[in-house]
């Protein structure tokens, strides 16, 4: 998940991470929408964590860019909910302090 988030701007990183994730035994993928965008939600459960919890990350189904991640504890309560966004900036934007 960290590699997918950190490398979300690079299509090769996204493709590689998704290939690795697809090889894990406890992964499920569902189609839906997140924040109005068509999305794939990838869920990892007990097989990946060794405990009664699961995490999801939803990615845009066309670009693979992360949209949202959620951690659900053993009690069924949301432990964390994070929304992502990718913004492109130019060197001029950085120099002008626009970020």
């Amino acid at each position: 998940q960290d590699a997918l988030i950190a490398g979300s701007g690079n299509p090769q990183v996204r493709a590689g991470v998704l290939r690795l994730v697809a090889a894990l035994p406890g992964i499920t993928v569902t189609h839906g929408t997140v924040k109005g965008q068509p999305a794939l939600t990838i869920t990892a459960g007990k097989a990946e964590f060794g405990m009664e919890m699961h995490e999801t990350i939803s990615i845009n189904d066309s670009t693979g860019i992360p949209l949202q991640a959620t951690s659900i504890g053993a009690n069924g309560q949301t432990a964390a909910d994070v929304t992502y966004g990718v913004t492109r900036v130019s060197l001029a934007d950085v120099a002008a302090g626009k970020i």
Side-chain angles (χ1 to χ4, degrees), residues 44-98:
K46 186 175 181 177
E48 283 68 44
F49 295 110
M51 60 184 113
E52 295 296 328
M53 67 171 290
H54 67 273
E55 288 192 357
T56 66
I57 185 165
S58 297
I59 60 173
N60 180 288
D61 75 353
S62 296
T63 65
I65 293 175
L67 301 171
Q68 184 174 19
T70 304
S71 295
I72 307 292
N75 61 2
Q77 298 295 315
T78 300
D81 195 17
V82 179
T83 301
Y84 298 98
V86 175
T87 304
R88 303 278 188 250
V89 297
S90 67
L91 186 54
D93 289 338
V94 174
K98 292 182 179 180

Side-chain angles (χ1 to χ4, degrees), residues 1 3-6 9-10 24 27 30 33 41 43-44 47 55 59 65 67 75 85-86 88-89 93 96 99:
Q1 183 174 345
L4 184 60
I5 293 163
N10 183 324
L24 297 172
I27 297 293
T30 56
T33 59
T41 297
T43 303
E55 288 192 357
I59 60 173
I65 293 175
L67 301 171
N75 61 2
V86 175
R88 303 278 188 250
V89 297
D93 289 338
I99 61 163

